[in-house]
Amino acid sequence: MQVTATEMKFQLSQSTVPAGPVEFETTNKGKIPHEMVVIKTDLPLDKLPLEGDKLDEDKAGKEIGEIEEDDLKSGVTKTLKVNLTPGKYLIVCNLPGHFKAGMRTFLTVQ
């Protein structure tokens, strides 16, 4: 799966994938560093818990994997390999202000 990160937005090459191994090939096409956190959650967007201007990751669901800010600087591509079970997943950049500015999207695993 291709993931493009830009300022305050993630674009996924597909919104639904089959359960099993998934590779997120993530490219930061923005001008500033980002991170990408994959969280399994049953919560809708308006019920996700906040901690200041960030998502409270511990209360949002179960973290499945992450590409950290130091690894996703501008112009860099990194791959995150995870094994996903059926359900709903949140893809988020949780650097200060990024989540609230809209840098989040959902992925469905069937």
Side-chain angles (χ1 to χ4, degrees):
M1 161 174 296
Q2 304 293 318
V3 181
T4 302
T6 56
E7 268 58 84
M8 308 316 137
K9 182 178 171 188
F10 280 116
Q11 183 174 343
L12 305 179
S13 60
Q14 53 201 96
S15 59
T16 303
V17 296
V22 176
E23 287 188 16
F24 292 96
E25 187 174 295
T26 305
T27 302
N28 183 355
K29 292 188 177 178
K31 293 180 172 38
I32 61 174
H34 292 293
E35 68 175 4
M36 186 186 86
V37 184
V38 179
I39 300 170
K40 186 170 187 183
T41 185
D42 292 323
L43 298 174
L45 183 61
D46 64 346
K47 299 293 184 199
L48 289 168
L50 297 179
E51 189 173 55
D53 63 354
K54 297 173 66 175
L55 175 71
D56 185 334
E57 293 180 30
D58 293 332
K59 294 179 182 172
K62 179 182 179 191
E63 183 179 318
I64 304 302
E66 177 178 2
I67 299 174
E68 296 185 7
E69 174 184 13
D70 288 344
D71 296 325
L72 202 56
K73 295 187 184 310
S74 179
V76 171
T77 298
K78 285 288 181 183
T79 300
L80 174 65
K81 297 177 184 181
V82 293
N83 192 33
L84 301 181
T85 57
K88 188 168 81 171
Y89 292 80
L90 176 66
I91 313 296
V92 60
C93 178
N94 208 22
L95 297 179
H98 291 209
F99 175 82
K100 283 187 82 173
M103 198 158 184
R104 59 195 183 249
T105 191
F106 285 99
L107 172 70
T108 300
V109 177
Q110 296 180 327

